[in-house]
């Protein structure tokens, strides 16, 4: 594990033992380009046909018909297609397609995406409900907020209000049926050996504190019986299990067990939650689902 910062290797070994080597190997090398068919505009079948016509070589994971894995192509080539320009496809990692699937928003519901930019999951939540949910997409950073608005518009997401605000300060006047908290994190699941790594002990500590604050706020904004999905692209317990334990200690909610697709390689994780192992196809990712009492 020479390529990873020493503090990170130590934490991975402390948490995962020998499997830390497998995690480090999962950071070695670029993953293929993956995308999601934007079914607000075109069906997965139509995208499949268009990709075939465009000469793209692709496969699909068994667990999501809207997801495509392109082989032997770089992102730039995809960005130049009319499909991309028209917002009929969206470049998105496979792991990051999981949280909206577990959120399961239904027609007519009020849904909050607490930390939403650049908006990939907001658009996916809408698409999964046939565009029939009422979305609030909150983002604190101005540049990312503008990017999110552009992406949501290009993907034709209906019934969405974009809020440029610190989600920890959202008015207690709001109540939502479902909330996605795809939290800001250290990115410890998405590292690529050879690329600059901004991860540090301080970043992890700061993220862990903010994540707990956001989670507490999210749970307070949830209707009784409502569902909150908490996700990070980190594999560290400080940002994952410890946040879940914090929420459970706080009370008023329970974990709602997640059943992962069979083909996913998983790391040991708190019962009912999933931690996706980083490998040649997937980024490291954590997902937990709460139901409010
Ligand atoms: N869900 C997004 C997607 O799939 O496109 C990615 C979200 S990214 C992991 C986390 C986002 O949270 C960043 O854009 C960051 O600027 C934003 N953020 C961080 N702190 C926030 C806060 N207190 N309130 C709102 N947004 C925040």
């Amino acid at each position: 594990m020479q390529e990873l910062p020493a503090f990170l290797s130590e934490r991975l070994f402390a948490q995962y033992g020998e499997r830390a080597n497998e995690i480090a190997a999962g950071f070695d090398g670029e993953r293929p380009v993956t995308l999601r068919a934007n079914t607000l505009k075109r069906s997965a079948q139509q995208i499949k046909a268009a990709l075939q016509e465009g000469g793209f070589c692709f496969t699909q994971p068994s667990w999501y018909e809207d997801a495509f894995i392109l082989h032997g192509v770089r992102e730039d080539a995809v960005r130049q297609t009319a499909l991309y320009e028209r917002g009929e496809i969206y470049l998105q990692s496979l792991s990051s397609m999981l949280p909206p699937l577990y959120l399961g928003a239904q027609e007519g519901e009020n849904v909050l995406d607490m930390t939403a930019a650049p908006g990939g999951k907001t658009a996916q939540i809408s698409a999964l409900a046939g565009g029939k949910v009422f979305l609030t997409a909150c983002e604190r950073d101005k540049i990312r907020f503008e990017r999110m608005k552009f992406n949501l518009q290009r993907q034709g997401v209906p019934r969405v209000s974009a809020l440029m605000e610190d989600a920890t300060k959202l008015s207690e006047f709001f109540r939502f049926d479902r909330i996605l908290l795809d939290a800001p994190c250290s990115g410890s699941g998405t590292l690529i050996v050879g690329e600059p790594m901004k991860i540090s002990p301080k970043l992890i500590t700061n993220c862990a504190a903010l994540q707990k604050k956001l989670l507490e706020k999210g749970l307070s904004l949830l209707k009784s019986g409502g569902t909150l999905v908490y996700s990070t692209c980190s594999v560290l317990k400080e940002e994952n299990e410890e946040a879940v334990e914090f929420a459970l200690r706080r009370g008023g909610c329970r974990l709602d067990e997640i059943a992962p697709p069979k083909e996913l390689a998983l790391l040991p994780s708190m019962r009912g939650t999933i931690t996706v192992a980083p490998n040649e196809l997937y980024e490291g990712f954590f997902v937990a689902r709460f139901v409010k009492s």
Side-chain angles (χ1 to χ4, degrees):
M1 298 237 296
Q2 274 165 355
E3 300 91 340
L4 294 182
F7 87 89
L8 184 58
S9 301
E10 280 160 24
R11 286 193 195 196
L12 291 174
F13 266 116
Q15 186 175 342
Y16 293 109
E18 286 307 310
R19 290 201 70 182
N21 289 315
E22 180 195 322
I23 298 172
F27 296 144
D28 209 356
E30 266 182 58
R31 296 183 187 88
V33 176
T34 56
L35 60 86
R36 180 175 55 76
N38 174 19
T39 57
L40 292 167
K41 292 201 164 183
R42 292 282 176 268
S43 69
Q45 281 307 320
Q46 286 173 318
I47 296 303
K48 191 171 177 174
L51 288 173
Q52 278 163 344
E53 222 170 87
F56 288 100
C57 172
F58 61 86
T59 50
Q60 292 193 267
S62 63
W63 49 271
Y64 191 25
E65 66 165 353
D66 298 349
F68 293 83
I69 305 160
L70 304 194
H71 302 283
V73 69
R74 298 184 71 88
E75 265 190 28
D76 287 354
V78 181
R79 285 182 202 278
Q80 282 161 19
T81 62
L83 289 176
Y84 180 82
E85 279 296 321
R86 292 193 298 250
E88 294 169 3
I89 55 173
Y90 186 81
L91 292 167
Q92 192 171 338
S93 80
L94 291 179
S95 301
S96 81
M97 296 181 198
L98 292 168
L101 288 168
Y102 291 126
L103 189 66
Q106 306 289 315
E107 181 175 338
E109 288 183 336
N110 276 306
V111 180
L112 170 66
D113 191 347
M114 280 183 92
T115 53
K121 296 186 192 68
T122 317
Q124 189 188 352
I125 292 167
S126 177
L128 285 166
K132 293 184 177 151
V133 282
F134 300 95
L135 278 159
T136 303
C138 180
E139 169 60 45
R140 166 173 83 170
D141 181 272
K142 182 164 176 20
I143 294 172
R144 292 178 66 88
F145 176 79
E146 293 302 332
R147 183 74 213 168
M148 174 182 84
K149 279 205 304 192
F150 173 83
N151 282 338
L152 295 178
Q153 201 200 8
R154 178 145 81 174
Q155 291 186 75
V157 180
R159 304 178 177 87
V160 60
S161 312
L163 276 185
M164 198 180 81
E165 204 170 319
D166 178 344
T168 64
K169 303 204 167 106
L170 283 170
S171 163
E172 285 294 328
F173 171 78
F174 292 119
R175 282 294 174 271
F176 296 92
D177 298 296
R178 292 180 204 253
I179 296 179
L180 174 63
L181 171 53
D182 184 42
C185 73
S186 68
S188 75
T190 63
L191 302 173
I192 297 181
V193 169
E195 291 193 356
M197 296 185 188
K198 63 171 189 168
I199 190 163
S200 67
K202 189 165 189 286
L203 178 67
I204 295 167
T205 306
N206 291 347
C207 286
L210 177 58
Q211 288 153 355
K212 291 191 185 89
K213 248 177 121 175
L214 286 163
L215 188 49
E216 188 164 35
K217 183 69 181 187
L219 288 166
S220 82
L221 296 177
L222 202 56
K223 284 183 191 168
S224 176
T227 297
L228 182 146
V229 166
Y230 174 80
S231 56
T232 72
C233 57
S234 176
V235 293
L236 295 171
K237 64 177 177 359
E238 292 89 330
E239 301 181 82
N240 298 337
E241 281 89 344
E242 287 180 14
V244 172
E245 280 159 6
F246 165 80
L248 296 177
R249 266 200 312 275
R250 177 189 166 277
C253 66
R254 64 172 173 82
L255 260 185
D256 187 22
E257 190 161 333
I258 283 176
K262 282 204 186 76
E263 75 181 58
L264 277 195
L266 297 178
L267 290 167
S269 192
M270 184 179 188
R271 193 191 161 94
T273 69
I274 61 169
T275 305
V276 180
N279 61 25
E280 67 290 348
L281 269 187
Y282 290 84
E283 291 179 336
F285 224 85
F286 175 82
V287 192
R289 184 167 58 194
F290 297 92
V291 170
K292 186 163 172 173
S293 312

